[in-house]
Amino acid sequence: MQRSGISTLIGAVFGLVYILVNAGKLPDTPAIILRIAAILVFVAVYLAIRHLPADDDEPSASRFDRRYWTVVATELIAGLVGVAVVAGPLHHEEASVAWISLVVGVHFVELARIWAHPRLTVLGGAIAACGVLGLVLAFAHGTDEAVAVTGGILPGTVLLLASWLAALGLRRAVTGLS
């Protein structure tokens, strides 16, 4: 499998997890439908990339250098500290998912910069915007459901659909299908 296929699969996993976890804030029927749809899209991503050949042209370590690990470490620290603050002293535990989305979005924007991959800026910007909107809703006393949808389900959907589109693009590039 191509390394970009692995990255695509990782994005799909995180998108799926966002949706599976946050759908629990919805009424049963929409939650079930959303979870089934997310699983089906995830399976489609997996099937599209599972037999892609290895990408021997891309050096494995070059993308995952010190800059990458600095972004990941910063993301982890910012995520943990932010969740502790919004759930603790600020008393808005429901805002945790929105904070995580903001941090994940910024992470993608920074990776876009260091990897010179502009599409990640769009992905990161969309996820970060969902996070900001979720935070605004949480602190404006929006419902837990509204915060979960805006700060969790929408970013998960963005990630999952971006992964699906990337998987289709990889498949077309390798097989020559249009």
Side-chain angles (χ1 to χ4, degrees), residues 4-166:
S4 50
I6 292 169
S7 298
T8 298
L9 188 60
I10 291 169
V13 166
F14 280 103
L16 178 63
V17 169
Y18 258 109
I19 292 169
L20 294 178
V21 169
N22 290 288
K25 298 284 185 182
L26 301 176
D28 289 344
T29 300
I32 290 168
I33 292 168
L34 189 57
R35 285 175 170 148
I36 290 170
I39 291 167
L40 290 174
V41 173
F42 176 81
V43 169
V45 170
Y46 174 76
L47 292 174
I49 65 176
R50 71 183 173 143
H51 292 301
L52 294 177
D55 184 358
D56 295 328
D57 294 334
E58 183 181 335
S60 61
S62 66
R63 292 184 75 173
F64 301 103
D65 60 7
R66 183 184 54 79
R67 296 175 306 162
Y68 169 81
W69 290 109
T70 299
V71 170
V72 170
T74 304
E75 175 186 27
L76 180 63
I77 292 166
L80 292 173
V81 170
V83 166
V85 170
V86 298
L90 297 180
H91 306 292
H92 280 284
E93 185 176 341
E94 77 282 5
S96 296
V97 68
W99 175 258
I100 293 298
S101 293
L102 174 59
V103 171
V104 168
V106 171
H107 145 268
F108 278 116
V109 170
E110 183 58 14
L111 289 180
R113 187 187 68 76
I114 66 173
W115 287 344
H117 196 321
R119 286 188 215 165
L120 289 179
T121 302
V122 175
L123 176 64
I127 293 170
C130 291
V132 168
L133 185 54
L135 287 167
V136 168
L137 286 172
F139 286 97
H141 305 291
T143 65
D144 288 358
E145 182 179 294
V147 175
V149 167
T150 307
I153 292 171
L154 286 177
T157 302
V158 167
L159 259 176
L160 202 51
L161 291 179
S163 297
W164 182 52
L165 292 172

